[in-house]
Structure formats: structure tokens, C-alpha cells
Amino acid sequence: MAIPRAAKTQRRTRIQEEKEEVILEAALDVFSMHGFKGATIDQIAEVAGMSKPNLLYYFRTKEAMHRALIDRVLDTWLDPLREFDAEGNPEIEIKSYIRRKLEMARDFPRESRLFANEILRGAPTIMEELDDLRKLVDEKAEVIRAWVKAGKISRCDPYHLIFSIWATTQHYADFDVQVRAVLGPTRSGDGRFEDAARFLEQLYMNGLQVTT
Amino acid sequence: MAIPRAAKTQRRTRIQEEKEEVILEAALDVFSMHGFKGATIDQIAEVAGMSKPNLLYYFRTKEAMHRALIDRVLDTWLDPLREFDAEGNPEIEIKSYIRRKLEMARDFPRESRLFANEILRGAPTIMEELDDLRKLVDEKAEVIRAWVKAGKISRCDPYHLIFSIWATTQHYADFDVQVRAVLGPTRSGDGRFEDAARFLEQLYMNGLQVTT
DNA sequence: TGTAATGTTTACCAACCGGTCAAATTATCC
DNA sequence: GGATAATTTGACCGGTTGGTAAACATTACA
């Protein structure tokens, strides 16, 4: 008899590893495009190239699938912020943070939209994780405050600084259609990320009067 | 016999005016929270305080309701950008644009989230309207370019400047839960909009080296 | 190679959801 | 007040969707 997935906490088969990977990849496609309610298991199963009951053998509910997906992505999503280094100098740190966030918007737009969807809906499934986020941001806000105190950047609210970097970078993933529509077909090539990087670096370097 | 709503293009009853208002208000609540697919007509009907068939008497499909809602909101949503004045001086214009956009994020978060939802899903219902948006932005980008040419602000990409203002301000509506979670209960009062305004004004005034 | 565990499929179900219908009720206007 | 148009409701329907049951197929392993 088949053992329900939740029961076998220890050993995972080769097939399990592979199929779960395929499923989560497909789920990312569908969830990020249509949101949680808008996505259907049949859709995900089709993209994953398997039957619905087969998919439900690996993730027993749609909810479980969504949760697994978000948990996995959440980790890598915050990596750029974690790398924010107190020892480094503000110019390098802020510039590279913007770069990395922009790269993620360019290379992982589905992940960005998945989160945007989740937050838009009031973060029903990652409420607790938001507390960890708060601690991380608190920590990094302290770093920024130290830079201010040391006179390396001008006085500013570190939280709103971080919010603004999140917003401006993720915008290119979450509002991609709008950005493309406004820039028009000719200027919508990959070059737009370079343009964005240039603009944002200038904005923040001058805006924070970072001493180089 | 009741005349279907679409037929009577001219005269609208007192009751029609009122009920349609109530319905759109309720629809805004539900659509902005759950997205198009996630929202159900029953839900909207309950919030609107009427039965589902009664609601469908005024809007014959869920789609029609959503469309009416977006069309109505779209107009007022772009007002701040339209007011962007070429004659004005950059400091006043940019500052007040930021202010107005922040006020809208504070006072009309549901409208903001409705749009965010729409754009996230690839703007299926307002694709054509995006063309008007492009024209408007093109126009305003020209204004900004003129300021650059006149040496009133530093050289920058006007499109990405506009994107960044959209992103940073709407962030406080669309990602409200996250902002609150990060700021914590004590700093999540209405004061956060003032803090945001202060930060953003400083960022943009210095960032663009606006001559005062 | 045999067998037990794992993986897959077909058929199905109950709940939900968008929308209809016809009858009942209420507002409007002469 | 009565005819007529506008509004409201309860009952219902067909399609979709999340999820299940059980038979069937395959793999892992002794």
C-alpha cells in the first residue's frame, strides 16, 4: 500500500526528489501567473506533465503545494538582504544590493510575483515568517543607522530606505507588463534592467549623499 | 417585464444609481482582497447586502462588474500624473507628485491593490488602456527631459524616474501587511506615511540634485 | 526472482460557483 | 387606485474544481 507522503518523514526516493522538483517548478509557473485561487491543480498537473491524482500523491492538497513553494523560495529571496554587510562601505553595499535585487527581478520574476500575490492577499500563509523578516530588517536597519552616525551617508530613515529599494527593484518583475507597455516594444529589451540599474544607483548615491 | 441593464443606455433610476454604487463599493472590497478569480459573486453580494440574483440584475456578469470597477478607478488613479506641469518648477512638481501618490496609497489602498492584481496577472482586462498610459507617460517624460536640458535637475532616465515614484509610493498600499510587520505595531500608525514622505522627498531632491 | 513498497491511472464524488428563470414584490406614473 | 415597469427573491442548473477510492503498474531490494 502506498504510504501517504506526510508519513515518511525520513527517506525520500529518487523519484520523489525528481517529481517534487518538477511539480514545484510547474506550480511556480501557475501560481505566480494566476494567484492561489486562480490556479487549478489540473493546470499545474498539465504543466508538470502528469495526472492530477499523481500530483496529489506528492502534495496532498493545493495548500500544501503552495506552502512548500513559498517556503522554498522565501529563503533564497532574502539572501541579498542577509549579505548586507556592516563592515563594508555604504557605496559598495547599497550599490550591490540594488544590483542583486534587480538581477533577481530579471532572473526570477515568477518568484517575485508569487510573493507579491501572497502579500497582496494579506500574507495568509506566511504570517509567522514575517516576524523573522522583521528581525532581519531590524538588524540591517541598525547597520544603516551606524553609517548615518559615522557620517558616511546622510540622515535618513533606514526602514523606508529598505522599503524603497524593495519597491523600485521588484517593480520590474511584478509590474512587468506595465513597464513594457510604457517603454514600448523597442525599449523593452533586456537593456531596461541596465537602464534601471544606472538610474537607481545614481538616485541612491546622490540621494543619500554617499561619500565615496 | 424587467429591462436588462445593458439595454437602457439612457435613463437610470434612482435605485439603479444607489445600488450600483453599493455594489461597486462591495466589489472593490472583495476584488482588491482576493483578486478576480478569488472573489465570488456571493461574497460581493453579501458585502453589498443583497442577494446574488439581485446583484446580477445590475451587473450581468462578474466580468462586467470588474470591468466597470477598473474603468471607474483608472481615471482618478492617473490624475496625479496628469497634473504634472511643465511650467512648474521641478522641486514643487516632483514633491507634490510624491505627496499625492502617497496620499492615494494611504486613502485608497483598495484601489491600488485592485490595479496591482490586474497588472500582476498580465493586465488581461486593461490591455488597451495601457496604450493611453504610454502616451501620457511619454508626454510627462518629455517634461522631465526638458528640465534636464535646462539644467534644473541632473541627467536621468525620465521613465525610470517615474517608475520609481510609482513603485515607492504604491508599495505602502500594495505591501501594507509587510510594511506593518516590519515596522512593528508601535511604528505602524498613520505616522508611517509622513516618515515615508520625508524620506522620499529627501531621496529625490538630493538624488536628482534639484536646484531650489 | 519474488514480494513488498512505491508510483500511476481511471473513474468518481461532493462542494462550489457563475449564471438563469419565473414568480413575487415594490416603485412609478397616469 | 390601477396599470405598468422596475426590482427582488428562491429554486435551480451545468460546469468546474479540489480531492478520494481502488485497481493497476512499476520499482527497490532480499
Side-chain angles (χ1 to χ4, degrees), chain B residues 147-168:
Chain B
W147 288 342
V148 170
K149 199 160 270 177
K152 292 178 177 173
I153 67 175
S154 60
R155 209 175 213 319
C156 69
D157 186 314
Y159 292 95
H160 292 283
L161 169 56
I162 291 172
F163 291 153
S164 72
I165 295 179
W166 286 349
T168 48

Side-chain angles (χ1 to χ4, degrees), chain A residues 107-172:
Chain A
D107 299 335
F108 307 105
R110 296 176 304 170
E111 284 82 347
S112 185
R113 284 194 275 261
L114 184 77
F115 274 116
N117 259 308
E118 172 69 11
I119 300 294
L120 258 181
R121 266 157 202 57
T125 73
I126 57 159
M127 254 312 174
E128 306 98 46
E129 280 89 337
L130 284 186
D131 204 58
D132 296 338
L133 174 65
R134 204 195 81 230
K135 286 174 196 152
L136 180 60
V137 175
D138 277 345
E139 195 183 299
K140 299 309 179 182
E142 217 44 62
V143 173
I144 295 170
R145 233 190 291 265
W147 288 342
V148 170
K149 199 160 270 174
K152 292 178 177 172
I153 68 176
S154 60
R155 212 173 209 321
C156 69
D157 185 313
Y159 292 95
H160 292 282
L161 169 56
I162 291 172
F163 291 154
S164 73
I165 296 179
W166 286 349
T168 48
T169 53
Q170 291 176 7
H171 187 81
Y172 291 96

Side-chain angles (χ1 to χ4, degrees), chain A:
Chain A
M1 191 217 286
I3 296 172
R5 192 178 164 279
K8 41 157 192 57
T9 42
Q10 46 255 39
R11 197 57 170 264
R12 295 176 69 211
T13 319
R14 188 202 83 234
I15 297 183
Q16 272 169 36
E17 303 261 9
E18 293 173 4
K19 289 296 170 79
E20 286 177 9
E21 197 60 34
V22 171
I23 290 171
L24 287 182
E25 168 68 21
L28 180 56
D29 248 40
V30 179
F31 277 132
S32 68
M33 179 82 82
H34 303 287
F36 181 74
K37 282 278 302 187
T40 72
I41 300 184
D42 295 84
Q43 241 176 318
I44 298 171
E46 192 189 336
V47 174
M50 64 180 76
S51 67
K52 177 168 67 171
N54 192 10
L55 185 153
L56 285 167
Y57 172 74
Y58 293 100
F59 296 93
R60 286 185 309 184
T61 66
K62 187 181 173 184
E63 178 83 35
M65 223 163 60
H66 187 246
R67 158 75 66 161
L69 191 55
I70 283 206
D71 279 355
R72 142 191 299 222
V73 168
L74 185 56
D75 231 37
T76 66
W77 201 244
L78 290 177
D79 273 349
L81 185 56
R82 271 190 277 265
E83 287 185 15
F84 220 90
D85 189 5
E87 308 304 321
N89 78 69
E91 183 186 10
I92 305 250
E93 292 300 318
I94 293 174
K95 268 189 181 174
S96 67
Y97 185 50
I98 291 171
R99 283 253 167 213
R100 292 211 50 191
K101 288 289 287 177
L102 267 180
E103 280 165 14
M104 294 190 74
R106 183 191 61 196
D107 299 335
F108 307 105
R110 296 176 304 170
E111 284 82 347
S112 185
R113 284 194 275 261
L114 184 77
F115 274 116
N117 259 308
E118 172 69 11
I119 300 294
L120 258 181
R121 266 157 202 57
T125 73
I126 57 159
M127 254 312 174
E128 306 98 46
E129 280 89 337
L130 284 186
D131 204 58
D132 296 338
L133 174 65
R134 204 195 81 230
K135 286 174 196 152
L136 180 60
V137 175
D138 277 345
E139 195 183 299
K140 299 309 179 182
E142 217 44 62
V143 173
I144 295 170
R145 233 190 291 265
W147 288 342
V148 170
K149 199 160 270 174
K152 292 178 177 172
I153 68 176
S154 60
R155 212 173 209 321
C156 69
D157 185 313
Y159 292 95
H160 292 282
L161 169 56
I162 291 172
F163 291 154
S164 73
I165 296 179
W166 286 349
T168 48
T169 53
Q170 291 176 7
H171 187 81
Y172 291 96
D174 303 340
F175 291 75
D176 183 58
V177 228
Q178 197 185 50
V179 168
R180 287 172 183 274
V182 168
L183 290 183
T186 58
R187 304 186 61 194
S188 285
D190 277 6
R192 71 185 189 282
F193 285 99
E194 273 313 309
D195 293 343
R198 224 181 338 264
F199 169 79
L200 290 175
E201 282 182 8
Q202 175 194 336
L203 178 68
Y204 281 96
M205 288 306 106
N206 291 336
L208 302 174
Q209 308 196 313
V210 177
T211 58
T212 48

Side-chain angles (χ1 to χ4, degrees), chain B residues 188-205:
Chain B
S188 285
D190 277 5
R192 70 185 189 282
F193 285 99
E194 272 313 309
D195 293 343
R198 221 179 342 263
F199 170 80
L200 290 175
E201 283 181 7
Q202 176 193 337
L203 178 68
Y204 281 95
M205 288 306 108

Side-chain angles (χ1 to χ4, degrees), chain B residues 161-181:
Chain B
L161 169 56
I162 291 172
F163 291 153
S164 72
I165 295 179
W166 286 349
T168 48
T169 52
Q170 291 177 6
H171 187 81
Y172 291 96
D174 303 341
F175 291 76
D176 182 59
V177 228
Q178 198 185 50
V179 168
R180 286 173 182 273

Side-chain angles (χ1 to χ4, degrees), chain B residues 15-32:
Chain B
I15 297 183
Q16 273 168 34
E17 303 262 9
E18 293 173 5
K19 288 297 170 79
E20 286 177 9
E21 197 60 36
V22 171
I23 290 171
L24 288 181
E25 168 68 22
L28 180 55
D29 248 40
V30 179
F31 278 132
S32 68

Side-chain angles (χ1 to χ4, degrees), chain B residues 71-82:
Chain B
D71 278 355
R72 144 193 296 224
V73 167
L74 185 55
D75 231 37
T76 67
W77 201 244
L78 289 178
D79 273 350
L81 185 56
R82 272 190 275 264

